[in-house]
């Protein structure tokens, strides 16, 4: 086992720097992490549990932007998160209807 006195100052600083980097990564919110990624059409279909036709309809109606690389389409994870947020239905008291039921469709 290495004695603490054997660790050089530069090695100690390097370790502390790496720990700070790891901490910063761990403290990022899921929204920040999502905004850095692109999702394939298959991943979007799995996420929403929708068919290819429904995903195409979302594209055609301008609900989701996309980027084409060859024949493969990619979607910004940030747009997916925004779409989910726009259609978010907050909890409501038992026995009371949602405030805006049209948003559920």
């Amino acid at each position: 086992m290495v004695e603490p006195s054997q660790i050089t100052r530069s090695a100690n600083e390097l370790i502390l720097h790496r720990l700070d980097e790891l901490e910063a990564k761990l403290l990022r919110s899921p929204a920040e992490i999502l905004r850095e990624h692109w999702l394939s059409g298959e991943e979007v279909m799995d996420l929403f549990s929708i068919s290819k036709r429904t995903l195409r309809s979302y594209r055609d109606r301008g609900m989701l932007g996309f980027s084409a690389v060859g024949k493969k389409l990619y979607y910004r994870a940030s747009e997916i998160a925004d779409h989910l947020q726009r259609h978010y239905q907050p909890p409501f008291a038992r026995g009371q209807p949602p405030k805006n039921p049209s948003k559920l469709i």
Side-chain angles (χ1 to χ4, degrees):
M1 183 166 166
V2 177
E3 293 293 322
S5 61
Q6 293 175 330
I7 298 176
T8 65
R9 182 177 178 161
S10 61
N12 189 36
E13 288 173 358
L14 179 64
I15 292 169
L16 290 174
H17 177 71
R18 288 294 294 143
L19 286 173
D20 288 342
E21 287 178 347
L22 289 170
E23 180 183 33
K25 287 181 180 182
L26 291 172
L27 293 176
R28 287 187 309 177
S29 71
E32 289 175 318
I33 294 168
L34 274 179
R35 291 186 195 291
E36 298 176 0
H37 298 288
W38 289 79
L39 303 172
S40 69
E42 292 78 20
E43 290 171 318
V44 174
M45 289 185 290
D46 288 343
L47 182 64
F48 286 136
S49 297
I50 58 174
S51 67
K52 284 184 182 181
R53 176 68 185 105
T54 301
L55 183 57
R56 184 172 53 191
S57 175
Y58 286 1
R59 282 194 315 268
D60 293 347
R61 294 188 293 172
M63 294 172 65
L64 292 176
F66 63 94
S67 181
V69 178
K71 293 183 178 183
K72 189 147 175 118
L73 301 178
Y74 294 93
Y75 303 83
R76 284 187 179 178
S78 61
E79 287 187 12
I80 302 299
D82 292 343
H83 182 79
L84 291 172
Q85 187 61 40
R86 282 192 307 273
H87 291 87
Y88 173 71
Q89 179 62 48
F92 51 89
R94 180 177 264 180
Q96 293 180 355
K99 290 184 180 180
N100 191 352
S102 65
K103 279 191 161 184
L104 296 177
I105 299 174

